[in-house]
């Protein structure tokens, strides 16, 4: 998608601090971290929001969770704990319309405040 920042990161047209990459998924550090570890995990397929998910995307969404699990182990926060957040649309706080997991860890994250 031409004007999508995350597609540009995926296509290496924009720099990023890549933590993990495979055929279908990329994970890179959030530019404005909200925790000591704040990684964004994105499918390489441009899907705008949760609302746009199709039956055929089941596998890729499952894959995002497995990448999150792997990162947690690799970064040694699997036992301590971590949080995954997915924002959807304006009131959900979404700013970049390319679906992504926020992977947050490295400190006690407390209760979700809304
Ligand atoms: P969301 O509000 O869920 O759409 O999250 C978008 C996230 O992308 C925010 O946490 C931003 O800090 C992050 N972000 C925006 N631009 C970049 C970038 N060029 N590289 C890494 N993270 C970014
Ligand atoms: Zn995109």
């Amino acid at each position: 998608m031409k004007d999508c920042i995350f597609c540009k990161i995926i296509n290496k047209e924009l720099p990023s601090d890549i933590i993990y990459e495979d055929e279908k998924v990329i994970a890179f550090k959030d530019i404005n971290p909200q925790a000591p570890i704040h990684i964004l995990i994105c499918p390489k397929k441009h899907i705008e929001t949760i609302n746009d998910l199709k039956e055929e995307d089941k596998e890729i969404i499952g894959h995002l969770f497995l990448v999150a699990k792997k990162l947690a182990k690799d970064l040694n926060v699997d036992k301590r704990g971590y949080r995954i957040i997915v924002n959807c649309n304006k009131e959900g706080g979404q700013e970049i319309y390319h679906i992504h997991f926020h992977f947050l860890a490295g400190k006690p994250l407390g209760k979700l405040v809304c």
Side-chain angles (χ1 to χ4, degrees):
M1 190 58 72
K2 210 164 125 280
D3 292 322
C4 171
I5 291 178
F6 288 177
C7 282
K8 285 185 179 156
I9 286 175
I10 289 160
N11 294 326
K12 315 282 161 53
E13 292 163 23
L14 273 182
S16 70
D17 200 341
I18 297 172
I19 300 291
Y20 173 86
E21 185 170 15
D22 64 29
E23 207 179 282
K24 294 192 169 152
V25 168
I26 190 166
F28 51 92
K29 287 190 185 171
D30 195 293
I31 207 169
N32 182 22
Q34 303 300 308
I37 296 171
H38 187 171
I39 295 167
L40 302 174
I41 310 173
C42 307
K44 290 191 172 175
K45 178 179 176 186
H46 181 87
I47 303 167
E48 293 197 351
T49 76
I50 295 174
N51 295 337
D52 301 300
L53 285 170
K54 301 198 174 86
E55 197 63 23
E56 70 204 36
D57 298 320
K58 262 187 199 166
E59 198 181 320
I60 188 74
I61 296 305
H63 191 53
L64 292 179
F65 272 106
L66 292 176
V67 170
K69 174 187 157 182
K70 176 183 162 40
L71 289 182
K73 192 155 177 43
D74 291 352
L75 297 167
N76 202 26
V77 293
D78 53 335
K79 299 281 187 319
R80 288 169 61 190
Y82 53 96
R83 179 173 291 160
I84 291 167
I85 295 175
V86 186
N87 296 328
C88 183
N89 276 342
K90 198 170 174 206
E91 289 193 6
Q94 187 170 9
E95 285 175 0
I96 310 257
Y97 283 78
H98 180 132
I99 202 167
H100 50 280
F101 282 4
H102 292 261
F103 180 100
L104 298 147
K107 69 172 186 183
L109 294 165
K111 297 279 177 212
L112 270 184
V113 181
C114 296

